[in-house]
Amino acid sequence: MSAAVNTAQAISTVRPRSGRQETLTIGAVFLGILIVAGVAISQRQVANPLPRLYDWQLSAFYDLSKTDQAIHTSLVTAIPELWLLHADMLSLQKRGKSKETWPDIKQLAEYYYVAPFAQDLFWTQNGSVKWTRVTAFSFEGSTVYHGYAGTADRQSAYLVVLSHAHKGATFNSVGNIWMHPNPNAPAPNTVVRDSLIRSGWKQVVPYSGEIERKRIRS
Amino acid sequence: MKFQRLLAAPLLVVLSTLLIGAVEARPLRVGITLHPYYSFVANIVGDRAEILPLIEAGNNPHNYRPRAEDMRRVMNMDVLVVNGIGHDEWAFEIIQAAGREEKLPLIYANSGVPLIPIAADEGEAKVVNPHTFVSVTVAIQQIYTIARELGKLDPDNAVFFRKNARDYTLKLRRMKAKFMGELVKLNTSNLRCATMHGAYGYLMQEFGLQVVAVIEPRHGVSPTARQLGNTIDKIKAANVNVLFAEKFFASNLADTIREATGISMYAFSHMSDGDYSPELFERETRANLETLVKAMRVINTETSASATES
């Protein structure tokens, strides 16, 4: 009997190790790594150089059909040309040699060969768009060239709005391009932004070399 | 002694003025990275600036590795005209190695250029096409940008630069109009073209021609056998009838495609060969447009023949 008691007294309960301590330690280390990595990644993130577009804007790079993209490229190049011709014509007007201050479509197409106004292969391949210079906006200080009736697939109507905010900086290229999904959309009565938007026009935002440069170097 | 001191001060002033005048009178040293930029700058500045190519002629700008002598050249420049959108990344390595990052003004010729994607397939990821210099329309945009920025650095010659830029761009536009006049007479409705390299997107765009496929999967990278097989399938599926490759292009790849598909092949200039010269851009553009007209004439004849048969 006494032997049994002694045996009972000698037994001590040994609990298996749960590994709880190690689990907690490893968990803490993982958490630490995650926090450090998260902070490091957030610090290394590059600001997206792409312009944030509103729903009334289109990206020339991502959103346009090939025809619209081609016309947009040619219009962007035409804008500085239009300003230079405007400066020449203002100078001629001061000397009494010109009544107009902006080139008309015939001049652009037949003398200066400016795309997309010139009726060449580019013109026929890109829907033979009809162009007019709209002068009714002179009270708003803008000159507008309107392109419509294009026949290519997924073709838009076009507006080039040249703002007179350029005063004193004639060798400048300030101009906005707008497109309308209906290729026969008429010229608007005003070029006030909200009114254009209400009429279904969308401003086209180019993906310029400047944006790409920032993306590469950031 | 007092007299000498009195004389020394005005003498120093006169000498300094002369020295400053001499430095100011020195023409602007304009660096360029690619052949077409040499032509653009030469036609803008005339004899009123010096043009310094950053790398020697005869190097391939696609895989150029900077050399020690490039650093010496960049040290002598007052300004550098760059593509800046992926075609002359080595220029930035040279500038950094020469320690001129903060000191050398750069003219980004493409800053105002609306870029288009390189991929011909609308379903593929859109990658920026940096070959804005293989085109008349987009070159004009760059010429104006370069002229404007050079005018800011050299205001005395700004009007001169601007006038030269306008004369040069009108000359280019007239050249393009001449070829447009020839092309517009031809029926090119059956044209389905592919290009070997992504360099010709802007050129084709300005003539209203759309590229169905680009063979190189990435800029300057030859396709793998599998990619080549896919491309051949794509050419067949899209019914491509003309392939524009590059002058001096390794012809084995082109031959494989021609044998597998039976399409006609023509070669365009990438404008990065030969010596730097003011005439290079016009000369190479004219050659490209002659090639385009030649290809279109063949298409026109085939179209007329098939119309007669039917």
Side-chain angles (χ1 to χ4, degrees):
Chain A
M1 183 69 190
S2 64
V5 170
N6 287 343
T7 306
Q9 281 174 345
I11 292 170
S12 61
T13 306
V14 178
R15 296 179 60 191
R17 291 204 67 174
S18 67
R20 188 165 178 269
Q21 189 62 41
E22 284 87 342
T23 305
L24 285 174
T25 308
I26 288 168
V29 169
F30 267 125
L31 198 63
I33 290 169
L34 281 175
I35 290 168
V36 170
V39 170
I41 288 167
S42 70
Q43 291 301 307
R44 276 186 60 82
Q45 268 183 349
V46 172
N48 185 357
L50 284 173
R52 188 173 276 181
L53 301 187
Y54 296 99
D55 57 2
W56 48 271
Q57 291 178 316
L58 296 169
S59 163
F61 193 79
Y62 293 104
D63 301 333
L64 301 186
S65 68
K66 284 185 176 174
T67 300
D68 283 352
Q69 202 168 51
I71 288 182
H72 176 263
T73 303
S74 62
L75 285 174
V76 171
T77 306
I79 288 170
E81 198 76 23
L82 289 166
W83 281 116
L84 288 167
L85 291 169
H86 174 54
D88 290 348
M89 292 173 82
L90 277 176
S91 162
L92 287 171
Q93 192 193 43
K94 278 179 193 164
R95 285 182 276 152
K97 292 182 178 175
S98 171
K99 287 181 183 171
E100 302 282 350
T101 56
W102 286 95
D104 59 28
I105 304 301
K106 194 174 162 62
Q107 283 174 303
L108 291 169
E110 294 176 14
Y111 185 74
Y112 295 105
Y113 311 105
V114 176
F117 309 105
Q119 296 192 0
D120 52 19
L121 183 65
F122 176 91
W123 185 77
T124 53
Q125 295 283 86
N126 286 299
S128 306
V129 175
K130 291 177 182 165
W131 289 95
T132 54
R133 188 189 58 181
V134 186
T135 51
F137 304 115
S138 54
F139 65 95
E140 284 174 2
S142 295
T143 295
V144 172
Y145 290 86
H146 174 224
Y148 62 100
T151 55
D153 185 37
R154 291 169 61 202
Q155 179 138 36
S156 301
Y158 312 98
L159 281 185
V160 184
V161 182
L162 301 158
S163 157
H164 279 262
H166 73 292
K167 217 168 187 178
T170 48
F171 193 50
N172 207 338
S173 52
V174 183
N176 282 304
I177 296 164
W178 294 73
M179 292 192 189
H180 196 290
N182 173 9
N184 293 303
N189 297 320
T190 170
V191 286
V192 173
R193 191 186 70 185
D194 290 349
S195 174
L196 285 176
I197 295 167
R198 274 198 300 276
S199 308
W201 290 91
K202 291 201 172 190
Q203 187 187 28
V204 185
V205 180
Y207 185 84
S208 67
E210 179 65 13
I211 298 167
E212 178 66 358
R213 178 182 73 81
K214 285 180 183 161
R215 189 191 67 78
I216 293 174
R217 316 255 161 267
S218 57
Chain B
M1 189 68 184
K2 197 175 178 183
F3 175 74
Q4 282 172 327
R5 274 187 191 168
L6 278 171
L7 196 65
L11 200 65
L12 269 174
V13 171
V14 171
L15 276 173
S16 319
T17 313
L18 283 173
L19 268 173
I20 291 166
V23 169
E24 282 178 352
R26 179 173 67 73
L28 206 60
R29 286 177 179 159
V30 185
I32 56 96
T33 54
L34 303 174
H35 283 69
Y37 296 140
Y38 188 98
S39 302
F40 299 167
V41 174
N43 281 279
I44 291 166
V45 301
D47 58 359
R48 298 194 187 176
E50 194 182 338
I51 311 170
L52 303 174
L54 180 57
I55 62 171
E56 285 176 10
N59 291 295
N60 182 352
H62 293 110
N63 53 12
Y64 185 74
R65 302 304 309 156
R67 298 172 191 165
E69 58 266 30
D70 303 334
M71 273 164 259
R72 184 175 46 77
R73 278 191 283 267
V74 84
M75 295 306 287
N76 291 324
M77 293 172 184
D78 297 318
V79 57
L80 178 63
V81 178
V82 295
N83 168 275
I85 53 169
H87 215 293
D88 50 14
E89 289 307 294
W90 35 265
F92 298 90
E93 291 175 35
I94 296 168
I95 294 166
Q96 190 181 26
R100 294 207 68 191
E101 288 160 294
E102 306 296 327
K103 296 166 195 160
L104 181 65
L106 298 177
I107 295 179
Y108 288 91
N110 287 297
S111 58
V113 170
L115 304 177
I116 60 171
I118 205 166
D121 195 338
E122 286 193 358
E124 291 173 4
K126 291 178 188 278
V127 178
V128 163
N129 190 336
H131 300 91
T132 51
F133 49 84
V134 193
S135 146
V136 176
T137 305
V138 189
I140 286 170
Q141 180 89 18
Q142 294 175 78
I143 291 161
Y144 283 139
T145 299
I146 296 168
R148 187 177 62 240
E149 296 304 314
L150 286 177
K152 286 179 190 169
L153 292 167
D154 186 357
D156 292 344
N157 284 314
V159 174
F160 177 75
F161 294 162
R162 188 190 312 169
K163 184 191 175 303
N164 287 349
R166 293 189 69 183
D167 291 347
Y168 183 47
T169 56
L170 185 56
K171 195 173 164 189
L172 295 175
R173 205 170 262 137
R174 283 189 173 142
M175 177 173 67
K176 188 182 121 185
K178 177 181 165 285
F179 286 97
M180 280 284 197
E182 293 186 39
L183 287 167
V184 80
K185 294 174 204 157
L186 305 173
N187 181 356
T188 57
S189 56
N190 273 4
L191 174 75
R192 301 282 293 163
C193 81
T195 61
M196 204 68 212
H197 186 57
Y200 311 110
Y202 294 93
L203 179 73
M204 300 306 268
Q205 187 193 57
E206 71 181 325
F207 283 89
L209 305 173
Q210 290 179 2
V211 179
V212 177
V214 176
I215 310 300
E216 284 181 352
R218 272 179 46 229
H219 190 47
V221 177
S222 294
T224 61
R226 186 175 177 179
Q227 284 167 332
L228 185 61
N230 290 342
T231 302
I232 287 168
D233 291 344
K234 196 197 277 183
I235 286 174
K236 285 178 178 170
N239 202 19
V240 168
N241 47 12
V242 177
L243 175 64
F244 291 102
E246 265 182 85
K247 225 164 46 171
F248 314 120
F249 177 75
S251 64
N252 54 349
L253 199 59
D255 288 343
T256 308
I257 295 167
R258 185 163 42 196
E259 281 166 21
T261 59
I263 59 177
S264 308
M265 284 192 67
Y266 299 87
F268 276 151
S269 165
H270 187 282
M271 307 208 180
S272 49
D273 301 294
D275 293 333
Y276 294 101
S277 80
E279 301 82 23
L280 179 135
F281 181 74
E282 279 175 78
R283 188 182 64 234
E284 299 295 304
T285 300
R286 189 174 294 110
N288 281 348
L289 300 187
E290 280 167 357
T291 302
L292 191 59
V293 169
K294 193 175 157 190
M296 294 302 116
R297 282 200 179 122
V298 173
I299 293 291
N300 181 62
T301 310
E302 288 170 0
T303 308
S304 307
S306 62
T308 311
E309 279 171 22
S310 61

